[in-house]
Amino acid sequence: MTRRAPVVVASVCLASALTACSGGGAATDSAPTALNASADLSKQSLTISIWDGYSPKDLPERVKAKLGFDTKVAIHDTNETIMAKLTAGGDSGIDVAFVSGQYAQALNAQGLLEPLHRDLIPNLKNLYPEASQLAYDKGNVFSVPYTWGTTGLCYRSDLVKTPPTSWKDLLEPAKDVKKKITMMTTERWLALPALKLLGASVNTTDQATIDKAKELLLKVKPDLLAYDDTTFGDRLKSGEAVMVEAWDGWCPTSEKNIKFVVPKEGSDLWADTMVILKSSKNKEAAHAFVNFILEPDNHGWVPANILYRIPNKAAMDKVDPKLLESYPTLAEPPSELLKGESLVDLGEASTAYTRLSTEVSAAQ
């Protein structure tokens, strides 16, 4: 099964590509284009860019059968890859892009996104009310959340003497788990456990706080089995690892004795979104596509196949109860998820996290 990690890796600013990285805020040119609700969609076509394995392989055929236009699927591997393409200047050829929330925020700040024409996306009614409360785009003005989740500790309940409840259990590990724990290296997630243990925001730009987080990360480094963003689930299954920092959708809780917990200090709230490019010449088709995805049977493909939560109540209500039993995080209400802190675009301040990651990785 292919599953994509919610990548929020380096500076969203991409200063070489963006001319006025502001770390969010209003778009420089946010006036919506006049659209024709009665447009003949068969005369349009669509190119979307998405991560591999993040949608059904027969998505173009499904769209063609329902909406009558051709859809081309382009694949990007990271947020940085698609950001570079979208901010290179001119028409990227992309109509709809799937990007993480803070990247959507950065694109909007540069005036590159079409404000949503809500009358053309009636299926927005299927979203949980909480889906409009995400800090990077309150009210879903320029983006529609596709998936969302959080980060916590995934562990072997049969191999740890005491079940973890705090980020301290990871950063100041007990003797029985030393050399049997992993952390993620993706910049914002490498810092997250330390920042939360310090009582700080995951979006902090205070250098003194980031330096304290670095001290905690350097102190625990000798006790780690590895830094691992992709195979920690397999390490848990084999018993090589007994506790790992993990995204909820990647914790294999269907396996006996593997549990997931959000530490008491709290965690993040990440979201991957759909955005429509202002440069698109097929905006009616783009809105129809987003509306199509939000149909319960279509959006429900996500939890059933890649085990991520989605902000679509109508779709989540139709998820197989047996799947919810195997993956209890899927069954948690949005109110629990919104206890996490939304990751937002930090603009130029993101370089502080790049430095932290580089210095921790290089330390002997």
Side-chain angles (χ1 to χ4, degrees):
M1 181 182 297
T2 303
R3 294 151 76 184
R4 191 207 67 86
V7 183
V8 228
V9 182
S11 169
V12 175
C13 180
L14 293 175
S16 62
L18 300 179
T19 58
C21 191
S22 63
T28 55
D29 179 15
S30 60
T33 305
L35 299 184
N36 179 8
S38 301
D40 182 355
L41 297 183
S42 68
K43 298 184 181 301
Q44 298 188 23
S45 62
L46 211 62
T47 297
I48 70 168
S49 189
I50 191 170
W51 297 276
D52 191 21
Y54 222 39
S55 64
K57 291 188 179 298
D58 64 346
L59 181 61
E61 290 78 12
R62 295 187 186 196
V63 173
K64 180 73 171 181
K66 182 65 182 287
L67 300 177
F69 58 80
D70 293 327
T71 301
K72 177 183 176 182
V73 177
I75 299 299
H76 58 259
D77 55 353
T78 67
N79 278 298
E80 286 76 19
T81 300
I82 186 60
M83 285 290 285
K85 185 169 185 176
L86 296 179
T87 59
D91 184 358
S92 65
I94 302 297
D95 299 289
V96 177
F98 287 67
V99 296
S100 294
Q102 60 272 44
Y103 289 81
Q105 182 183 4
L107 289 169
N108 185 64
Q110 294 303 306
L112 297 177
L113 299 185
E114 177 71 14
L116 299 177
H117 297 248
R118 302 181 73 87
D119 59 318
L120 298 184
I121 314 177
N123 284 331
L124 285 169
K125 69 180 186 296
N126 292 333
L127 296 179
Y128 290 105
E130 291 88 346
S132 66
Q133 300 173 22
L134 301 172
Y136 62 84
D137 181 19
K138 285 187 176 293
N140 308 128
V141 176
F142 53 81
S143 65
V144 176
Y146 179 69
T147 56
W148 57 4
T150 190
T151 307
L153 295 174
C154 186
Y155 66 98
R156 285 283 297 265
S157 61
D158 58 329
L159 297 179
V160 298
K161 291 182 179 180
T162 304
T165 60
S166 167
W167 289 116
K168 186 175 182 179
D169 296 316
L170 180 72
L171 295 171
E172 298 180 21
K175 288 184 179 180
D176 64 303
V177 302
K178 286 184 177 181
K179 295 294 186 181
K180 298 178 182 178
I181 54 179
T182 71
M183 292 185 65
M184 292 190 283
T185 55
T186 305
E187 291 174 7
R188 298 289 292 276
W189 282 289
L190 173 64
L192 185 152
L195 291 175
K196 281 300 180 183
L197 186 58
L198 291 169
S201 167
V202 295
N203 297 308
T204 185
T205 58
D206 178 67
Q207 189 59 53
T209 301
I210 295 172
D211 288 343
K212 290 179 181 178
K214 184 179 74 173
E215 291 175 9
L216 290 172
L217 296 171
L218 290 173
K219 182 179 179 181
V220 75
K221 185 173 182 178
D223 296 325
L224 298 179
L225 167 66
Y227 292 106
D228 185 352
D229 287 27
T230 56
T231 65
F232 49 75
D234 292 334
R235 292 178 188 265
L236 279 175
K237 291 177 186 179
S238 70
E240 181 186 11
V242 299
M243 182 171 63
V244 302
E245 179 190 7
W247 295 297
D248 51 356
W250 278 43
C251 181
T253 52
S254 62
E255 298 286 326
K256 184 179 180 180
N257 298 319
I258 295 182
K259 310 294 183 183
F260 179 84
V261 63
V262 175
K264 62 184 180 181
E265 297 87 1
S267 189
D268 65 336
L269 166 57
W270 60 261
D272 289 336
T273 75
M274 298 178 282
V275 296
I276 298 172
L277 277 300
K278 187 172 286 292
S279 58
S280 170
K281 299 178 178 62
N282 306 287
K283 292 187 177 70
E284 289 88 357
H287 281 78
F289 172 82
V290 172
N291 193 61
F292 170 83
I293 292 295
L294 294 180
E295 291 182 8
D297 288 343
N298 296 326
H299 210 174
W301 179 91
V302 174
N305 288 273
I306 59 176
L307 305 175
Y308 278 150
R309 281 182 271 186
I310 57 175
N312 188 321
K313 183 181 187 303
M316 289 300 298
D317 285 347
K318 299 179 72 172
V319 173
D320 185 346
K322 292 182 179 179
L323 187 66
L324 300 180
E325 291 177 10
S326 297
Y327 292 89
T329 56
L330 285 175
E332 290 184 354
S335 58
E336 283 297 310
L337 193 58
L338 261 72
K339 291 179 180 178
E341 187 180 6
S342 292
L343 290 161
V344 299
D345 174 27
L346 299 178
E348 294 286 2
S350 293
T351 57
Y353 288 89
T354 302
R355 287 195 302 270
L356 179 147
S357 177
T358 300
E359 290 169 3
V360 171
S361 298
Q364 298 299 317

